[in-house]
Amino acid sequence: MSVLEKFGVEIFTQHNIFDRIAVDKPFRPDNPAFIFVKTGTIKLKQHFRDLELSANMFMVTDPQTVYEMISVSDDFQSRMVSYKREFISALSLKFNRLITYRYFRQQMNIGVPFEPAEMEVVWKSVNFLKYILDSETEMTYKKEIVEHLFSVFCYQMAGIISKEDSNSMSQMSRQEEIVFIFLNDIARYHHSERSVEFYAQRQSITTRHLSAVVKEVTGKSASQVIALIVMNEAKVLLNSSNKPVSEISSILGFSDPYSFSHFFKKHLGESPSQYRNQFES
């Protein structure tokens, strides 16, 4: 049984983080996580833009999103706190709302800065939690200790995030709210719905209005964002499973393999099989 399965949380450092983050191909995390950068830089592609994290920054990753690592510096020093969603569900709704909001904000921005002093405190908490998780000493209440230490970490993060976002959270513009709902809807329905009309109807707005707002906030049209997310999902399925292309086309809601291949080639310039072959040894 893995540490994550046993305790609900697992911590990775720069030495083993790439066991969980694919270096040469798109990937979707199995579990949500916080990634903290103390020194150096890491650049990831997330949805429709690059996300660069440097010293004293953090990000929130989510299993609904596909990421692609672009580069990492030699002096990269990080911690990744990966946790099972049910492990955090008992925490306050306010904390979960803050994390959701922070996740949205980072999609619109380059990175989330920490005060160096705040990073130092969180870094020490994460390291102590890792020390307990890694310890081979018999502890009667180890699971309970881990749960309480993780709660301490979560309250630290909630305090930092709420302080940073207390004003901007209440000032989320109507445009940002529309894009936020749009992105969440795509994550939920992209396996069966690829029309802008469907997503506009979900919010009771016109396709013209949705398209204009998405373009202004993200720099891409609504149809481009939908296609990007479907393509990212297709890439993950092609390079992380042995499922035949016909099955993947069905999973993604295409009427037949030809329609899927045509869609894939239109957006990437090569067929699904050609894309998959480059990752096979």
Side-chain angles (χ1 to χ4, degrees):
M1 183 185 292
S2 70
V3 172
L4 189 65
E5 291 297 326
K6 189 173 181 180
F7 295 104
V9 59
E10 188 169 6
I11 297 170
F12 300 86
T13 71
Q14 65 274 8
H15 301 298
N16 63 353
I17 193 172
F18 299 113
D19 294 345
R20 287 296 174 94
I21 296 180
V23 176
D24 56 351
K25 56 191 178 184
F27 67 95
R28 185 176 53 242
D30 294 328
N31 296 283
F34 292 89
I35 297 179
F36 301 93
V37 179
K38 194 170 189 185
T39 59
T41 305
I42 185 171
K43 187 181 283 188
L44 299 164
K45 187 177 289 294
Q46 174 184 300
H47 277 335
F48 37 78
R49 63 180 59 201
D50 292 350
L51 179 68
E52 184 173 326
L53 301 176
S54 54
N56 299 314
M57 286 189 175
F58 81 97
M59 69 178 288
V60 183
T61 64
D62 186 273
Q64 289 185 317
T65 300
V66 173
Y67 302 88
E68 189 168 355
M69 202 189 83
I70 299 170
S71 63
V72 60
S73 66
D74 292 338
D75 58 343
F76 179 63
Q77 191 179 6
S78 76
R79 295 291 181 270
M80 181 170 78
V81 182
S82 180
Y83 61 91
K84 297 193 77 65
R85 197 178 293 280
E86 54 268 29
F87 192 51
I88 211 170
S89 61
L91 292 169
S92 72
L93 181 65
K94 181 182 178 185
F95 174 71
N96 282 297
R97 182 169 175 246
L98 285 163
I99 294 302
T100 302
Y101 183 76
R102 164 49 56 210
Y103 175 64
F104 166 72
R105 296 297 296 187
Q106 85 185 19
Q107 288 180 320
M108 300 297 112
N109 296 310
I110 296 302
V112 186
F114 254 140
E115 289 292 330
E118 290 174 332
M119 172 64 91
E120 193 62 35
V121 172
V122 171
W123 192 261
K124 286 178 178 176
S125 289
V126 170
N127 282 342
F128 186 58
L129 178 53
K130 178 173 169 52
Y131 171 76
I132 296 295
L133 285 167
D134 292 348
S135 175
E136 295 180 5
T137 304
E138 281 295 322
M139 297 183 198
T140 307
Y141 297 109
K142 184 169 180 175
K143 196 169 193 305
E144 289 79 5
I145 292 169
V146 168
E147 287 173 358
H148 283 286
L149 288 174
F150 183 68
S151 292
V152 168
F153 161 77
C154 288
Y155 279 114
Q156 285 178 320
M157 291 304 299
I160 291 166
I161 294 169
S162 63
K163 183 177 70 175
E164 180 190 345
D165 286 331
S166 57
N167 294 324
S168 57
M169 176 179 273
S170 60
Q171 296 169 8
M172 181 189 280
S173 70
R174 174 60 183 148
Q175 288 188 325
E176 287 181 327
E177 186 181 349
I178 287 171
V179 175
F180 183 39
I181 295 170
F182 174 61
L183 291 173
N184 279 304
D185 279 348
I186 298 174
R188 185 176 177 185
Y189 297 108
H190 71 271
H191 289 94
S192 57
E193 301 291 344
R194 291 187 297 279
S195 72
V196 177
E197 289 79 7
F198 171 83
Y199 295 101
Q201 287 171 5
R202 290 274 306 164
Q203 299 195 54
S204 302
I205 58 179
T206 66
T207 54
R208 182 189 290 260
H209 184 52
L210 176 62
S211 296
V213 169
V214 172
K215 179 77 171 178
E216 183 168 338
V217 174
T218 71
K220 295 189 181 297
S221 70
S223 58
Q224 284 176 317
V225 172
I226 294 168
L228 268 169
I229 290 173
V230 173
M231 280 296 295
N232 284 339
E233 185 75 17
K235 289 176 182 178
V236 168
L237 288 168
L238 286 165
N239 65 41
S240 65
S241 77
N242 294 318
K243 290 181 173 70
V245 172
S246 58
E247 186 178 344
I248 291 172
S249 72
S250 178
I251 290 170
L252 293 173
F254 288 88
S255 56
D256 54 68
Y258 174 78
S259 300
F260 170 56
S261 294
H262 178 75
F263 174 87
F264 195 93
K265 194 164 187 176
K266 174 186 173 184
H267 291 284
L268 200 65
E270 59 184 352
S271 71
S273 297
Q274 288 171 323
Y275 175 79
R276 171 177 264 171
N277 289 339
Q278 65 184 298
F279 296 108
E280 294 177 352
S281 51

